[in-house]
């Protein structure tokens, strides 16, 4: 039975009714929001933090979608390759390690957001307090572990690319390797502090761990990006002299250098560290998509490698020596020694004939 206070509108196959609260809301102007509906017991600071987390989740979702598209495109390119050597399996292993970790991380973000904003919306102090109280829940632990391991794998690629671009000069590696190891070491206590936010002993050190970790991350990426950009910029004229401006433009354009050096993530982490150092609530907007922007920049490099459009050791050597041993096209590079001569092609075509015709002599 429908209460008499409800406004009932009967239609042909159905009826709709509005509760009194909705009727009163319709009679008010949109700007006049009732402050009594505001969260109870939540400070303005926590509201800002929750709003930033909400925006961060939206950006993280978009970034994960872009990462998924890149991964699918990468798999398509790899499966279309005729030759599947060590580089093929290395790219498969690397990309297939990153994408599942990113998937686990975004799934944990979605599930814990559901727990915070839907299932426990009336938790005292709001979703932000719920996160601190239930940080040791297995959903959050899974997400934090995935988010910690992800950069360990992702940054290995940039160390490798730095080594290749600098033509295997060992003196270029000690500095970033030391920073990488330090970052890896500080990430472990940071992980423990993130999943034990109910323990005041760990909470008191969470801020210092976070500042140290993200500062090292920024330093690592700034160094790698700067050194790769410097190297590619200095080799631009050499490659143009060897291969010509048209072919060299596929390797020396500004966009190519920006992608090869991972410049997008370097800008992202730099902005985040600056905002965090000022204590601005906007930091959470940059923090939640942080993992997926890292994955996008690395996956773009891997995609270029799979398409044979990235800088390789042979190309770097050719530019350094001023001798082009590669035939460069607009889509990929092929070693000249792999191109058979006309005599070899004739022999190959002759052998490809049926056996009964191979003994025949062409006049």
């Amino acid at each position: 039975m429908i209460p008499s206070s409800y406004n009932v509108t009967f239609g042909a196959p159905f009826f709709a009714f509005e509760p009194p609260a909705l009727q009163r809301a319709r009679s008010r102007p949109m700007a006049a929001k009732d402050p009594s509906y505001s969260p109870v017991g939540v400070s303005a600071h926590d509201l800002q933090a929750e709003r930033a987390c909400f925006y961060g989740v939206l950006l993280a979702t978009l970034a994960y979608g872009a990462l998924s598209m890149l991964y699918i495109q990468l798999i398509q390119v790899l499966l279309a390759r005729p030759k599947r050597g060590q580089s093929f399996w290395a790219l498969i292993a690397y990309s297939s390690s990153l994408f599942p970790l990113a998937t686990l991380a975004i799934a944990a973000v979605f599930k814990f957001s559901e727990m915070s904003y839907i299932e426990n919306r009336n938790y005292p102090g709001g979703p932000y307090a719920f996160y601190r109280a239930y940080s040791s829940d297995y959903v959050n632990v899974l997400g934090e572990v995935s988010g910690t391991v992800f950069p360990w794998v992702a940054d290995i690629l940039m160390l490798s690319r730095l080594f290749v671009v600098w033509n295997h000069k060992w003196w270029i590696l000690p500095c970033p390797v030391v920073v990488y190891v330090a970052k890896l070491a500080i990430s472990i206590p940071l992980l423990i502090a993130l999943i034990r936010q109910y323990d005041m002993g760990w909470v008191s050190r969470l801020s210092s761990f976070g500042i140290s970790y993200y500062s090292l991350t920024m330093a690592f990426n700034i160094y790698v990006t700067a050194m790769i950009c410097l190297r590619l910029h200095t080799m631009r004229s050499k490659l143009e002299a060897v291969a010509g401006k048209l072919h060299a433009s596929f390797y020396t354009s500004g966009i190519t250098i920006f992608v090869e050096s991972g410049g997008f993530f370097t800008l992202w982490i730099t902005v985040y560290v600056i905002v965090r150092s000022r204590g601005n609530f906007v930091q959470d907007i940059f923090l939640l998509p942080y993992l997926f922007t890292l994955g996008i920049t690395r996956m773009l490099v891997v995609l270029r490698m799979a398409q044979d459009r990235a800088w390789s050791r042979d190309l770097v050597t050719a530019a350094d020596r001023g001798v082009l041993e590669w035939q460069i096209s607009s889509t990929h590079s092929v070693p000249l020694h792999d191109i058979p001569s006309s005599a070899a092609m004739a022999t190959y075509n002759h052998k490809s004939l049926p056996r009964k015709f191979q003994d025949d002599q062409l006049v």
Side-chain angles (χ1 to χ4, degrees):
M1 181 176 180
I2 303 174
S4 59
S5 59
Y6 281 13
N7 179 21
V8 182
T9 303
F10 291 92
F14 63 92
F15 65 88
F17 58 88
E18 294 181 347
L22 184 56
Q23 296 177 26
R24 292 194 298 269
R26 287 183 180 276
S27 63
R28 297 174 183 173
M30 292 298 293
K33 296 180 180 178
D34 193 343
S36 63
Y37 294 133
S38 300
V40 179
V42 181
S43 65
H45 177 270
D46 287 347
L47 280 177
Q48 283 186 335
E50 292 169 14
R51 191 175 291 110
C53 287
F54 176 75
Y55 295 150
V57 170
L58 292 180
L59 287 179
T61 305
L62 294 175
Y64 176 76
L67 179 62
S68 302
M69 293 176 62
L70 287 174
Y71 179 71
I72 294 172
Q73 185 178 0
L74 173 64
I75 295 300
Q76 291 176 340
V77 171
L78 289 175
L79 293 179
R81 293 184 63 160
K83 293 184 179 180
R84 300 182 179 182
Q86 292 182 351
S87 61
F88 170 84
W89 295 111
L91 295 179
I92 286 287
Y94 180 82
S95 59
S96 298
S97 299
L98 284 185
F99 188 71
L101 289 173
T103 302
L104 289 175
I106 195 66
V109 169
F110 287 160
K111 180 58 181 177
F112 204 80
S113 298
E114 178 186 351
M115 294 166 59
S116 303
Y117 292 95
I118 299 176
E119 297 176 0
N120 300 275
R121 69 171 72 186
N122 293 326
Y123 188 85
Y128 202 62
F130 177 83
Y131 167 71
R132 293 194 297 265
Y134 288 88
S135 59
S136 60
D137 186 89
Y138 78 95
V139 175
N140 186 60
V141 171
L142 180 64
E144 296 293 354
V145 170
S146 301
T148 301
V149 177
F150 190 93
W152 297 358
V153 181
D155 289 340
I156 293 176
L157 174 69
M158 298 312 294
L159 291 173
S160 173
R161 297 301 299 161
L162 180 67
F163 192 49
V164 168
V165 167
W166 280 88
N167 205 7
H168 290 211
K169 292 181 172 62
W170 289 98
W171 58 265
I172 199 69
L173 285 181
C175 182
V177 168
V178 169
V179 177
Y180 173 80
V181 173
K183 185 167 69 77
L184 188 149
I186 198 65
S187 66
I188 297 175
L190 175 62
L191 171 64
I192 298 174
L194 286 172
I195 63 178
R196 294 179 64 88
Q197 295 195 38
Y198 56 86
D199 188 342
M200 293 306 299
W202 285 102
V203 171
S204 61
R205 290 175 285 183
L206 178 59
S207 178
S208 59
F209 288 153
I211 292 174
S212 301
Y213 175 77
Y214 292 111
S215 297
L216 288 171
T217 301
M218 181 182 67
F220 174 86
N221 284 276
I222 287 178
Y223 179 87
V224 171
T225 298
M227 296 306 292
I228 291 179
C229 287
L230 176 64
R231 176 65 170 167
L232 297 185
H233 180 73
T234 56
M235 287 198 300
R236 174 180 295 178
S237 58
K238 296 180 180 179
L239 188 62
E240 288 178 353
V242 172
K245 289 187 177 181
L246 177 60
H247 295 314
S249 64
F250 293 104
Y251 299 91
T252 59
S253 65
I255 296 297
T256 298
I257 295 176
F258 186 75
V259 171
E260 289 265 5
S261 63
F264 178 70
F265 179 72
T266 301
L267 291 176
W268 189 278
I269 191 62
T270 302
V271 172
Y272 170 72
V273 171
I274 293 174
V275 172
R276 178 176 179 137
S277 64
R278 295 186 174 185
N280 196 308
F281 74 96
V282 180
Q283 60 181 291
D284 289 329
I285 300 178
F286 287 91
L287 177 60
L288 286 171
Y290 147 85
L291 196 70
F292 309 105
T293 54
L294 173 62
I296 289 172
T297 55
R298 303 312 187 240
M299 203 68 75
L300 283 171
V301 177
V302 175
L303 182 60
R304 288 185 60 85
M305 294 172 64
Q307 295 172 333
D308 288 331
R309 295 180 180 179
W311 282 81
S312 62
R313 185 178 183 182
D314 298 282
L315 192 61
V316 173
T317 302
D320 278 341
R321 295 179 179 177
V323 178
L324 184 63
E325 298 177 354
W326 291 69
Q327 182 184 34
I328 303 175
S329 69
S330 60
T331 56
H332 59 276
S333 302
V334 181
L336 287 179
H337 56 73
D338 287 346
I339 301 177
S341 62
S342 57
M345 284 296 296
T347 304
Y348 173 78
N349 292 332
H350 181 69
K351 291 183 178 180
S352 64
L353 293 172
R355 183 176 299 177
K356 64 179 181 179
F357 296 119
Q358 290 184 9
D359 295 333
D360 294 343
Q361 298 294 328
L362 297 177
V363 181

